[in-house]
Amino acid sequence: MSKTPPRDLGRFGADTRLVLAGRDPGAQHGFVNTPIYRGSTVLYPTYDDIKHRRGRYNYGTSGTPTMDALSEAWTEIAGAAGTVLTPSGLSALTIALMAVVSAGDHLLVTDSAYRPTRIFCDGVLSRYGVEVEYYDPLVGAGIAELMRDNTKAVLVEAPGSQTFEMQDVPAISDAMHARGGAVIMDNTWATPLLFPPHERGVDIAVEAGTKYLSGGSDLLIGLVSATERWYPAIKRTYEHFAPCAGPEDIFLGLRGLRTMGLRLREHGIRGLAMAEWLKARPEVARVLHPALPDDPGHAIWRRDFLGASGLFGVILNPVSEDGLAALLDGLELFGMGFSWGGFESLVIPFDPTLYRTATRWQAEGPALRFHIGLEDMEDLKADLAAGFERMAAA
Ligand SMILES: Cc1ncc(COP(=O)(O)O)c(C=O)c1O
């Protein structure tokens, strides 16, 4: 290979593109990776150059070679027209929403959205005069009936945060596009590797790179990719707020990108195996995982997705608070904490009745969300089996 990778990466498979995109050793003295550029001020050589803002870089907020490396790589992987980077997944969601809706607009948001997205919609967008309406994630093409003259956008998330309902994104997108509005998607669960958002009708796709791009639970970053039509609005809004991701975090994101395909496949295999194991346990009433053949969202998942990641939910049979605490408190390998997508296994309890408004959450017992990491599966199963024994004894 010459020091400069081929330019037209579209002819390669996804893993090859992950390795090649967003780096040019030929321009970095042969070093494999793009270095960390830190900086605010960019110097201009002449009066004429500064007067006309000549040159690709003119200030730290509007781009550095490190930022460009990740945003160009993501644009390639997501099949987008452009990508902006932000300091967290949540800030990526808020930039996407602020770029599209204005006072007087009606915004449809899935009832299964990541909870802080809802809090932003209710707390900030409503305050600025946007009418926010939550809809049943299973609505499909029926979303057309919820649209009004002032409907500007719909925010989808599939599978849903915590509850894992699948959504018919192409049908929702057709209905929205018939009215000229935008489809915004939180695509964090699948990443563009398992759900190519812009091929499926999504205009603006948000990724919390904090999860699978990082893979290490060691950074916070968000990515907003968009189509030709919507990228200028995203870029403009990004420039108004200037929510810059930190250079070290971007560098770690680039490092994570190279192995993201490999890690996702492994998380997917382990997640499904653990979902099947849990499904066979007498303590478990239901497993929420779209790759399970009897999951209500399985047909949509098979049609639209290229794989599964390592995050899914479980509804337990009724159990006391003490029993649940006995299960969770003694776990040796599963950590309890928010976020996910790293190399380590995690579990959290969740209760959608606390915030859902458009649909009623009905469950046999308490709900748990699992992220399956890269530990040995037998060790993970033994950890949970011991937990179920403690639960029974409590
Ligand atoms: C589905 C989803 N979207 C967005 C986010 C937000 O990402 P961040 O933690 O980087 O703000 C999260 C975080 O848990 C998430 O689960």
Side-chain angles (χ1 to χ4, degrees), residues 88-90 93 114 157 161 186 188 208 210-211 220-221 339-340:
S88 66
L90 182 57
L93 282 156
Y114 174 58
E157 190 177 328
S161 262
D186 184 335
T188 302
T210 308
K211 325 297 179 200
L220 290 153
I221 199 164
S339 203
W340 44 279

Side-chain angles (χ1 to χ4, degrees), residues 28-43:
Q28 316 290 355
H29 311 286
F31 284 95
V32 169
N33 292 296
T34 307
I36 296 176
Y37 281 79
R38 304 187 57 87
S40 50
T41 302
V42 177
L43 301 177

Side-chain angles (χ1 to χ4, degrees), residues 121-329:
C121 289
D122 297 340
V124 178
L125 293 184
S126 298
R127 190 152 56 84
Y128 283 85
V130 177
E131 222 181 317
V132 179
E133 181 180 345
Y134 293 94
Y135 68 87
D136 181 343
L138 305 182
V139 72
I143 195 120
E145 286 157 38
L146 302 178
M147 289 187 190
R148 308 181 193 159
D149 291 344
N150 61 340
T151 304
K152 189 64 181 289
V154 56
L155 186 133
V156 302
E157 190 177 328
S161 262
Q162 302 197 325
T163 46
F164 296 92
E165 298 96 333
M166 293 302 295
Q167 289 194 46
D168 191 337
V169 177
I172 293 174
S173 158
D174 285 349
M176 193 69 228
H177 289 160
R179 293 182 153 263
V183 179
I184 305 170
M185 178 172 188
D186 184 335
N187 194 30
T188 302
W189 184 86
T191 83
L193 296 181
L194 305 182
F195 184 85
H198 305 300
E199 275 177 32
R200 303 279 192 269
V202 173
D203 301 291
I204 300 168
V206 172
E207 182 75 21
T210 308
K211 325 297 179 200
Y212 286 122
L213 178 66
S214 156
S217 305
D218 53 1
L219 68 104
L220 290 153
I221 199 164
L223 305 99
V224 189
S225 63
T227 56
E228 206 77 57
R229 157 132 196 242
W230 288 99
Y231 182 64
I234 294 291
K235 182 83 178 135
R236 214 166 31 246
T237 308
Y238 171 83
E239 280 163 4
H240 292 154
F241 286 92
C244 308
E248 278 84 6
D249 288 343
I250 297 171
F251 181 84
L252 287 173
L254 279 163
R255 175 193 265 229
L257 186 77
R258 313 299 172 201
T259 58
M260 192 170 78
L262 184 68
R263 286 184 285 104
L264 261 179
R265 278 195 291 283
E266 204 53 43
H267 285 295
I269 291 167
R270 286 149 183 271
L272 187 56
M274 191 59 92
E276 279 162 352
W277 183 82
L278 281 161
K279 195 160 172 265
R281 294 285 316 190
E283 300 85 354
V284 170
R286 269 191 290 146
V287 176
L288 314 173
H289 192 312
L292 288 174
D294 58 352
D295 187 90
H298 185 68
I300 290 181
W301 176 80
R302 272 189 74 132
R303 187 193 64 190
D304 294 343
F305 284 63
L306 306 172
S309 64
L311 192 78
F312 63 92
V314 161
I315 313 290
L316 297 177
N317 285 316
V319 60
S320 69
E321 283 281 286
D322 285 350
L324 189 58
L327 162 64
L328 296 176
D329 288 351

